[in-house]
Amino acid sequence: MSEDLGTVDSAILNAFQGGFPVVERPFEPAAAALADHGVEVSGAELLERVKRLDEEGVLSRFGALINAEAIGGTATLVATHAPEDAYDDHVEMVNAHPEVAHNYEREHPYLNMWFVLSVVEEGRVEEVLAEIEAETGEPTYNLPKQQEFHVGAKFPVEGPQTQAVDCSDAGPDVTPTDRQSLTPAELDLVLEIQGGLPITETPYADVADAIGADTEWVVETIKRFNLEGKVRRVGAIPNHYALGYSENGMTVWDVPDDVIDEVGPAIAEFDFVTHCYERPRHEGVWPYNFFAMTHGRSEAESERRIQQVHDRMTEYWDVADDDWDTLFSTRILKKTGIRLDDRAEANVESA
């Protein structure tokens, strides 16, 4: 589909995968920012184009990308084995757990199923894994995030505007807080916007109407959440498969512990690395402690990007052939997204 996009639509996608203005009428200043970069479009036209991109499935959503971890609860990555002759039965058993948000089949001789658990209480992770092990008869390997070096799944397309346009400074001045819990009003806001904003001239006012709040408060709170990290970014969140990013490679590395703090930021500098974490090893089964997710629009592009990661790694340590691997996803088994309802509700401050 990315080849079918016109120059203006491509510019919109490249410019506003983050940094969309958080003001009462955001499409006018966003259009003005595009004009400053040589892309002439009115606010009304920008609105209609974003609406159409959403309806055609080019966007997965438009609005605020909530940082689930900062809102409450916890999530973890888990790997397990499913026998080839009973694979679909195992999929059904794992996916039946509502705590399983994502599940992928990946190319690996043993650990061929990878899923994400999202829970309210951290202790629930071990309970769910015990249930899954009892049902499937297979061990699970918990791989919680130990360090996050980068999360920023952005997918550029060919077009006249290849740089991000950051309008996040627009609107009122707000002061971030160090408060971890949510107020009841903030909970209502999170639940209202977790699936995206209305694509209208006044999306924040529409959200305010839906939850019985003032528009000014909604604007100020979303902007503050962005500064506090509760919102990762506000913008047009693309459906990367619709843009042709079909090659999803999870590169994994056995990085020496004494250089991982240097390696992490270095790999995170690559704009095509969408996620970059340190995770635990599992002796005898899983020797890798560093994950870098890459996406490509072809097998050749994916291989070039993985080679770039490899070359950067060799600047910090002597990488042997058995020190790394790439696990490509072959099937999406479940992708409901991390629903925040229970996690956010459990994080509401006491009256």
Side-chain angles (χ1 to χ4, degrees):
M1 183 176 288
S2 60
E3 297 176 355
D4 298 329
L5 294 170
T7 56
V8 175
D9 287 344
S10 297
I12 291 168
L13 287 171
N14 287 331
F16 287 123
Q17 293 187 33
F20 206 77
V22 184
V23 297
E24 185 170 354
R25 293 180 176 271
F27 286 92
E28 291 296 337
L34 277 178
D36 290 341
H37 289 77
V39 180
E40 296 293 337
V41 60
S42 69
E45 183 183 356
L46 176 59
L47 167 61
E48 290 306 313
R49 285 178 178 272
V50 170
K51 187 180 298 184
R52 178 173 49 77
L53 289 170
D54 182 66
E55 291 171 348
E56 292 177 352
V58 178
L59 302 183
S60 62
R61 69 164 85 75
F62 168 78
L65 186 61
I66 303 292
N67 180 356
E69 183 178 13
I71 292 299
T74 191
T76 190
L77 178 67
V78 181
T80 189
H81 171 71
E84 185 176 347
D85 59 356
Y87 197 94
D88 289 344
D89 292 335
H90 282 237
V91 171
E92 186 174 343
M93 286 184 280
V94 171
N95 287 356
H97 291 267
E99 296 89 350
V100 174
H102 304 156
N103 193 2
Y104 289 86
E105 180 180 15
R106 290 192 178 276
E107 295 176 340
H108 189 269
Y110 179 61
L111 298 178
N112 55 1
M113 184 182 295
W114 293 74
F115 57 91
V116 173
L117 285 186
S118 174
V119 297
V120 172
E121 299 290 342
E122 188 172 354
R124 179 64 179 146
V125 170
E126 294 305 321
E127 294 175 358
V128 174
L129 295 185
E131 293 167 8
I132 289 174
E133 290 181 353
E135 292 162 1
T136 64
E138 296 285 348
T140 60
Y141 300 92
N142 189 13
L143 297 160
K145 177 174 58 179
Q146 295 179 317
Q147 287 194 76
E148 176 183 300
F149 297 107
H150 177 70
V151 176
K154 297 183 180 180
F155 302 93
V157 296
E158 299 300 325
Q161 170 56 45
T162 57
Q163 299 296 319
V165 176
D166 189 0
C167 297
S168 57
D169 287 339
D173 292 330
V174 296
T175 302
T177 72
D178 58 3
R179 179 166 49 84
Q180 300 299 312
S181 60
L182 301 174
T183 68
E186 289 171 347
L187 170 65
D188 291 342
L189 176 61
V190 166
L191 299 184
E192 183 66 26
I193 68 174
Q194 66 175 330
L197 292 170
I199 306 177
T200 65
E201 290 183 7
T202 57
Y204 305 109
D206 294 341
V207 168
D209 287 343
I211 63 175
D214 293 332
T215 301
E216 182 179 2
W217 178 84
V218 168
V219 168
E220 290 177 350
T221 304
I222 292 176
K223 188 171 181 183
R224 176 169 57 80
F225 277 3
N226 203 0
L227 293 175
E228 293 171 352
K230 293 183 176 71
V231 166
R232 291 192 182 274
R233 64 184 188 271
V234 180
I237 313 302
N239 173 356
H240 62 275
Y241 292 106
L243 297 182
Y245 285 88
S246 58
E247 298 295 318
N248 171 347
M250 187 173 73
T251 67
V252 292
W253 309 79
D254 183 12
V255 177
D257 294 336
D258 61 345
V259 298
I260 196 165
D261 289 342
E262 299 176 75
V263 168
I267 301 303
E269 289 177 355
F270 288 117
D271 58 5
F272 55 79
V273 172
T274 59
H275 301 76
C276 190
Y277 303 115
E278 179 187 4
R279 297 185 185 276
R281 303 176 179 93
H282 284 270
E283 187 175 357
V285 178
W286 185 254
Y288 310 109
N289 64 335
F290 188 89
F291 289 60
M293 184 70 71
T294 67
H295 294 264
R297 287 162 289 192
S298 67
E299 185 175 339
E301 181 178 63
S302 182
E303 289 176 354
R304 287 195 301 271
R305 291 177 168 182
I306 292 168
Q307 185 62 47
Q308 286 180 263
V309 174
H310 179 277
D311 292 345
R312 179 68 59 85
M313 288 283 189
T314 62
E315 297 175 13
Y316 294 88
W317 54 291
D318 186 14
V319 182
D321 288 345
D322 60 355
D323 284 339
W324 69 286
D325 199 358
T326 303
L327 281 64
F328 287 98
S329 63
T330 53
R331 269 197 298 169
I332 301 174
L333 306 174
K334 185 177 183 181
K335 193 173 177 67
T336 60
I338 294 178
R339 303 301 296 177
L340 299 173
D341 304 53
D342 292 341
R343 288 173 60 170
E345 288 170 4
N347 194 34
V348 174
E349 61 189 24
S350 301

